[in-house]
Amino acid sequence: MIRLLLFATLALTAVAPATAQPNNPPPSNPQGRQGVFAITNARLVTMGPQGVIEGGTLVIRGSRIEAVGAGVAVPEGAEVIDGTGLDVYPGMIDGGSGAGLTEVGSVPETRDNDDLGDLIPHFQALTAINPNSVVLPVTRLGGVTSAVVEPSGGLFPGTAALVRLHGYTPDQMLVAPEARYVVLEFPRTGRRGSFDQRSDDDIKKAADKALQKLNDTWDAAVAYARVDSAAAVQPEAGRERPYTPALAALADVVRGQRALLVRVDVAADIEKALDWAKTRRVPRVILSGAMEGWRVRDRIREAGVPVLAGPVLAVPTRASDRYDRAYANPGLMADAGIPVSIRSGETENTRNLPFHAGFATAYGWNRDAALRAVTIGAAEILGVADRIGSLEPGKIADVIVTTGDPFETRTTLRRLFMNGYDVPLASRQTDLYREFLRRTPSAQ
Amino acid sequence: MRLPALMIASARFLLLAGLSSAALVPVAEAQRRGATPARPASARPVSVQASLPPERASDDALPRARTGSVLVQGATVLTVSHGTLANTDVLVQDGRIARIGTGLSAPAGVPVVNASGLYLMPGIIDAHSHIATSSVNEATSPVTAEVTQEDVIDPFDVSIYRALAGGVTVSHVMHGSANVIGGQNETIKHRWGERDPEALKMAGAPRTIKFALGENPTRVHGRGNGIVPATRMGVEQVIRNAFEQALRYKAQNAAAARGAGDPAPYNLRLQTLADILDGKVLIHCHSYRADEIYMLTRVLRDYGVHRIVFQHVNEGFKVAPELAAFGNDAPTVAGTGDGVTNGFAMASVFADWWAYKMEVYYSTAYNAAVLTRNGVVTSINSDSNELNRHLYHEAAKTQRYGGLTDDEALALITLNPARQLGIDGRVGSIDVGKDGDLALFRGHPLSVYAVPLGTWVDGIRRFDADRDGDDARLSVRPDERVDTATLHVHDDHRCMEGVDLAELAAEATEGR
């Protein structure tokens, strides 16, 4: 398998200009190139109306999928990729990650997820995502082609962005202009890890205080939106308004122009958050996390709110919980009728998203439903189903060609297309493998 | 809100990594598997079990472990030591594997488990853990060889049960990584339900001690306390200094034994260090970077220490040939046949952790594969009460990253960690005479869809997926009003527990 992978990489390197000196070869472009590609004789798992197509052909032209089907003709001049024995899926989508926003966890200079202040919804994750992060090629080799990259920390820590893990600028990476989501860290009544030794009373006090702040801020945002909307009709009326970007960002949520991504995990907090959003008629709400969503799944279903659930590979929230609750959580919610996708909650190991989905499957979730959840299901929740999430003509070509089930641990990629680019299957981690498998010089 | 967030961040920064396993694959076996032949350095015969010191005298005081019997029928048996046996029965009697075969019948009173269509593997062994302990770091000095996890085993930690639910039967409970020479570790069996800490200890397991290199000890002592070491140069000198003191301690006592002068005043720290030099205590060293790994091999050579298990060793792949060759010059073991050396450097690694701190930024998930292919006995450990529940999945990642065979991948969490703990004569494979530590899976354990159904320790079923209830706790705090939720924090583990985290978090924020 690895050998094939290496050959694929070497083959790409071989197209370098003839002028290159042998001892100083130019690097292959890690972002690949666009063209016309036809993957033939493959098992196409479209996640769209065409279902699964055995022995099918998928044509990519430019950034788009042009054709999908069993009897599709290979266009003249297309580069043909023999997909015999291989599977083709849409790239997977992570509903919550820090990839590109943090490079090295312990080094503050490389952490851009959490700025000062509780009320900074206008701070944009997209601004600080590093397109050249070493993490991104590592992630996409796991079949994860896009992710909601989220700020975290205070009450409104910023605006998350759904990005494709490919490209040289934030604008090239953003999946759709509207694919941004204002994050609310809903006041929480749980402990934040084993290092949090606050008393139950202190935890409650902090949560109550934060909730008061949230309510005050929201009231201000509603008022701001009213003034702002009036100003849009009568431009003169708005000239004297002070510069309040935080309220402007929240006004977009008040008016339903942006979804509110509510980070919340504890059962009682989820109920409180749903009540809060209902009372204030927040137009578009997505729950993120919901580690205890299984406890209150009927309430979530009644609220009609979708969930980006996870991480799945996590210990249960309470010592008294059955050992497999975190594994089973997404499936329990989905089976209750809630639209569910998965967030890995990872940064450098966002590549493990398929394993989060795999464990949810092992512990009870229907496998096809889980696959749907990390592809077209995620795209639907995030409002980008017209662009990504399935293999359909006209969609952006985010396509993975695999040796089999993308959740299965031993499965590897044979080919990767992102935005139509034929992306080399290389990262620093594969480079180190090539350099050190048989090191020269060896031991003295 | 801010402070907890910082604390979380700091916990993550401070992660201590260890180096864990090395795969010692005989050439013939490797060739049979179709693997690239191992380098000559790895082909030398090594008997880990024979080379390790005898059990502690104090083990005689441990309570005799309760044992059980069971007949598992018709499973696909993944022996790890001698391949996969289809539709095979395994009989455990009084805590030991008594028979492996077909058509076995259960002696009177022995429960029978129908395992048709299921997979049976040896109980999984975690060579780096911080579960079942009430105290991790004695972070008061760069050298604290005198303290030991033996004194702080907590049989009530529900993480033990959850590990069983992941097929894990043995954990190497380690001191943290705050100190260059930390405390001694304890190898336990997951005898969940026993309330006496002594009952969890694995009698006969060799003594081991934690060392730690790199960012953690330099952060805690150099930057935290203003004492050496603040650099990797200092770490080397701390070790050399400690060994020199131990040599003098030994020399004075040896002279006194010959009647020349008084013995040295008793000092447990120096005595423990002397035991390391005498080969009575096996070093398990937290390490990440290739330079510091190589440094310790040089220091150990200088002091005649021929055995080392590196923990974490994220950059072990860069010095894999040196690790494979380490110990070649060690003396042979008496009574083990021709040319059996007692030297080795092994590696116990993460499957894919990286980038949570600077010293793991240049890592690769292919580490275990590179080490294995270079002839280093390698294991995959957890260092986490989350990860330890799916070590079978972590092992499977070596098939994605490096294409290891099923047997090679399974050895990473069974036989190889057993070698690294010096307990491979007792556990780590399904062989007649070994302990009845077994894990039963629905689905092949290397599949992401595998589910552990039952786990036996010494023939006693300690986990049953179909029968166990929700709340597995053995005890509840009497003042507890409600079981407060603890939210998931990435990399929330205990390697740096006991260190003043608020101060360190502030330091991290200020970027000092």
Side-chain angles (χ1 to χ4, degrees):
Chain A
M1 258 185 295
I2 286 308
R3 189 163 294 173
L4 282 171
L5 191 150
L6 293 180
F7 279 147
T9 311
L10 291 171
L12 284 159
T13 313
V15 300
T19 52
Q21 297 301 308
N23 62 346
N24 189 22
S28 62
N29 181 352
Q31 306 283 348
R33 62 192 167 86
Q34 284 184 332
V36 183
F37 303 94
I39 306 164
T40 60
N41 299 315
R43 182 168 172 271
L44 308 178
V45 184
T46 68
M47 307 312 296
Q50 290 179 274
V52 178
I53 302 166
E54 302 289 346
T57 297
L58 182 137
V59 179
I60 296 168
R61 184 185 296 274
S63 64
R64 305 271 171 175
I65 296 171
E66 183 174 81
V68 181
V72 168
V74 174
E76 199 173 327
E79 182 178 325
V80 177
I81 297 158
D82 182 8
T84 304
L86 301 177
D87 289 359
V88 184
Y89 300 85
M92 289 177 276
I93 303 164
D94 193 325
S97 159
L101 208 50
T102 294
E103 191 70 10
V104 179
S106 73
V107 181
E109 293 85 348
T110 72
R111 285 201 318 271
D112 286 308
N113 62 308
D114 182 8
D115 212 312
L116 303 173
D118 274 343
L119 307 175
I120 51 171
H122 52 301
F123 282 36
Q124 300 294 318
L126 189 64
T127 299
I129 292 169
N130 178 5
N132 303 298
S133 165
V134 170
V135 171
L136 303 186
V138 170
T139 305
R140 61 200 188 206
L141 261 57
V144 183
T145 52
S146 35
V148 174
V149 178
E150 54 189 21
S152 59
L155 199 58
F156 286 107
T159 298
L162 173 62
V163 295
R164 181 177 292 104
L165 307 176
H166 179 269
Y168 286 115
T169 69
D171 288 328
Q172 287 177 356
M173 297 175 74
L174 191 63
V175 167
E178 67 278 11
R180 290 191 243 187
Y181 319 87
V182 172
V183 177
L184 165 61
E185 297 260 20
F186 198 82
R188 53 175 76 76
T189 57
R191 293 183 197 288
R192 306 194 62 173
S194 60
F195 292 92
D196 181 357
Q197 294 295 326
R198 291 176 296 164
S199 73
D200 289 354
D201 286 341
D202 285 347
I203 290 171
K204 187 175 181 306
K205 236 177 269 174
D208 288 348
K209 195 176 162 195
L211 187 60
Q212 187 58 51
K213 194 169 189 176
L214 168 60
N215 288 335
D216 293 347
T217 306
W218 187 260
D219 289 347
V222 170
Y224 181 95
R226 206 171 292 137
V227 174
D228 191 54
S229 298
V233 182
Q234 289 180 287
E236 297 79 14
R239 280 193 189 139
E240 302 306 315
R241 277 178 299 155
Y243 178 61
T244 50
L247 293 181
L250 290 179
D252 287 345
V253 178
V254 171
R255 290 185 292 234
Q257 291 159 334
R258 284 259 157 86
L260 187 65
L261 200 61
V262 182
R263 286 276 302 111
V264 61
D265 288 308
V266 182
D269 297 346
I270 293 172
E271 291 184 310
K272 207 178 281 182
L274 293 173
D275 288 344
W276 181 87
K278 188 181 176 190
T279 307
R280 284 157 186 79
R281 295 196 208 92
V282 184
R284 292 167 62 198
V285 173
I286 302 170
L287 295 189
S288 171
M291 298 292 289
E292 294 194 347
W294 61 275
R295 290 189 203 278
V296 290
R297 51 195 189 269
D298 291 340
R299 285 291 315 277
I300 301 173
R301 185 196 51 236
E302 285 161 16
V305 169
V307 179
L308 305 171
V312 177
L313 291 166
V315 292
T317 45
R318 307 190 197 227
S320 56
D321 281 340
R322 192 177 149 90
Y323 64 93
D324 59 0
R325 285 300 178 207
Y327 297 155
N329 181 40
L332 290 170
M333 286 193 285
D335 290 347
I338 301 165
V340 173
S341 186
I342 295 180
R343 70 186 287 276
S344 71
E346 304 263 12
T347 297
E348 65 275 7
N349 274 340
T350 301
R351 60 180 164 184
N352 287 343
L353 172 70
F355 303 146
H356 288 255
F359 266 70
T361 301
Y363 284 86
W365 200 2
N366 174 278
R367 190 256 172 199
D368 291 340
L371 183 59
R372 192 177 191 288
V374 295
T375 53
I376 190 65
E380 287 169 355
I381 291 173
L382 296 166
V384 293
D386 58 328
R387 292 181 178 246
I388 61 171
S390 61
L391 306 178
E392 292 180 68
K395 285 212 174 179
I396 306 279
D398 291 345
V399 178
I400 60 174
V401 182
T402 73
T403 57
D405 182 347
F407 293 172
E408 193 50 277
T409 319
R410 75 179 64 202
T411 298
T412 54
L413 262 56
R414 288 295 177 77
R415 212 71 183 225
L416 169 65
F417 293 90
M418 299 174 79
N419 199 25
Y421 284 76
D422 180 17
V423 182
L425 296 173
S427 71
R428 190 164 73 197
Q429 300 215 347
T430 61
D431 290 347
L432 288 170
Y433 178 53
R434 288 167 57 187
E435 180 178 356
F436 286 100
L437 180 61
R438 293 287 173 225
R439 201 194 71 190
T440 306
S442 189
Q444 295 302 305
Chain B
M1 285 291 177
R2 305 288 311 176
L3 184 59
L6 285 175
M7 291 171 72
I8 287 157
S10 71
R12 183 171 187 183
F13 310 155
L14 297 174
L15 176 66
L16 286 181
L19 174 66
S20 85
S21 69
L24 209 140
V25 183
V27 169
E29 192 186 349
Q31 285 171 335
R32 181 177 57 72
R33 290 170 181 159
T36 313
R39 286 169 177 275
S42 71
R44 69 204 155 86
V46 172
S47 169
V48 177
Q49 183 80 20
S51 70
L52 282 162
E55 66 191 69
R56 287 162 295 191
S58 65
D59 278 357
D60 295 340
L62 292 180
R64 197 187 148 97
R66 289 201 298 128
T67 61
S69 303
V70 63
L71 174 63
V72 181
Q73 278 185 328
T76 299
V77 177
L78 308 166
T79 67
V80 180
S81 58
H82 55 285
T84 299
L85 310 173
N87 195 21
T88 294
D89 307 336
V90 175
L91 175 65
V92 176
Q93 275 188 296
D94 300 326
R96 296 287 175 97
I97 297 171
R99 293 188 69 189
I100 302 168
T102 52
L104 302 185
S105 53
V110 173
V112 177
V113 174
N114 177 6
S116 178
L118 306 178
Y119 292 82
L120 188 70
M121 69 174 288
I124 294 167
I125 298 167
D126 187 358
H128 192 133
S129 176
H130 301 290
I131 67 169
T133 175
S134 60
S135 190
V136 179
N137 271 300
E138 175 60 40
T140 51
S141 166
V143 181
T144 58
E146 67 275 22
V147 303
T148 168
Q149 291 289 305
E150 184 179 2
D151 296 335
V152 288
I153 294 299
D154 172 15
F156 299 102
D157 183 357
V158 76
S159 295
I160 301 169
Y161 175 76
R162 289 175 174 169
L164 283 165
V168 185
T169 52
V170 171
S171 283
H172 188 217
V173 181
M174 300 191 77
H175 189 273
S177 51
N179 308 338
V180 178
I181 298 180
Q184 296 168 70
N185 314 305
E186 185 66 25
T187 300
I188 65 164
K189 282 209 171 190
H190 293 170
R191 298 179 181 124
W192 180 247
E194 306 293 340
R195 287 151 192 272
D196 178 358
E198 302 299 300
L200 268 59
K201 295 174 183 175
M202 186 172 177
R207 292 168 68 190
T208 66
I209 190 165
K210 179 76 169 280
F211 278 33
L213 314 177
E215 289 183 20
N216 286 4
T218 56
R219 173 182 286 266
V220 171
H221 297 289
R223 280 183 284 163
N225 300 330
I227 58 173
V228 170
T231 69
R232 288 180 174 81
M233 297 188 291
V235 170
E236 176 185 13
Q237 298 310 324
V238 167
I239 299 170
R240 288 185 182 276
N241 192 48
F243 282 173
E244 284 297 330
Q245 290 182 47
L247 283 177
R248 281 154 179 73
Y249 181 82
K250 274 178 63 176
Q252 187 175 344
N253 285 336
R258 292 193 308 267
D262 295 330
Y266 183 70
N267 184 314
L268 184 53
R269 181 179 294 180
L270 292 176
Q271 183 58 53
T272 305
L273 292 168
D275 288 348
I276 294 171
L277 296 177
D278 289 343
K280 294 176 181 170
V281 187
L282 178 62
I283 300 168
H284 277 249
C285 184
H286 163 112
S287 56
Y288 287 114
R289 259 177 35 183
D291 51 277
E292 65 193 18
I293 295 163
Y294 190 72
M295 174 276 287
L296 187 58
T297 63
R298 282 192 293 111
V299 171
L300 295 183
R301 262 194 205 101
D302 288 350
Y303 288 90
V305 176
H306 304 294
R307 294 185 299 246
I308 172 80
V309 179
F310 284 101
Q311 288 282 339
H312 305 318
V313 256
N314 274 50
E315 288 191 358
F317 68 94
K318 293 183 178 174
V319 286
E322 283 75 15
L323 293 177
F326 184 82
N328 273 344
D329 50 349
T332 56
V333 182
T336 55
D338 294 337
V340 177
T341 76
N342 73 354
F344 56 75
M346 304 191 197
S348 183
V349 306
F350 292 124
D352 61 7
W353 280 18
W354 70 297
Y356 44 87
K357 60 199 307 198
M358 203 60 223
E359 59 192 354
V360 292
Y361 188 46
Y362 297 89
S363 302
T364 176
Y366 294 84
N367 193 23
V370 174
L371 288 164
T372 298
R373 291 284 172 258
N374 278 273
V376 180
V377 175
T378 302
S379 71
I380 285 182
N381 68 56
S382 80
D383 193 14
S384 154
N385 68 346
E386 195 286 308
L387 210 64
N388 70 347
R389 307 170 312 141
H390 46 83
L391 280 166
Y392 52 94
H393 170 57
E394 301 306 306
K397 288 175 180 175
T398 61
Q399 304 196 308
R400 169 171 288 201
Y401 307 117
L404 294 197
T405 65
D406 284 2
D407 280 347
E408 286 172 328
L410 289 170
L412 297 172
I413 52 170
T414 54
L415 205 46
N416 289 356
R419 286 169 169 159
Q420 297 174 348
L421 302 178
I423 53 176
D424 49 312
R426 291 270 307 280
V427 293
S429 62
I430 297 182
D431 283 294
V432 171
K434 283 199 171 179
D435 292 2
D437 292 3
L438 303 168
L440 187 65
F441 283 76
R442 181 176 64 227
H444 193 288
L446 295 174
S447 165
V448 78
Y449 303 119
V451 175
L453 298 178
T455 308
W456 288 262
V457 181
D458 307 315
I460 295 176
R461 189 164 191 167
R462 301 281 183 176
F463 165 69
D464 186 334
D466 296 328
R467 292 188 180 181
D468 293 355
D470 261 10
D471 188 352
R473 291 177 298 173
L474 292 178
S475 74
V476 178
R477 273 172 43 197
D479 61 336
E480 180 178 297
R481 281 174 294 179
V482 62
D483 179 17
T484 304
T486 299
L487 304 178
H488 177 81
V489 179
H490 197 55
D491 297 341
D492 181 12
H493 47 78
R494 307 184 66 187
C495 254
M496 286 296 265
E497 192 172 298
V499 176
D500 187 342
L501 284 165
E503 185 179 318
L504 290 168
E507 176 196 283
T509 312
E510 291 158 19
R512 273 190 274 131

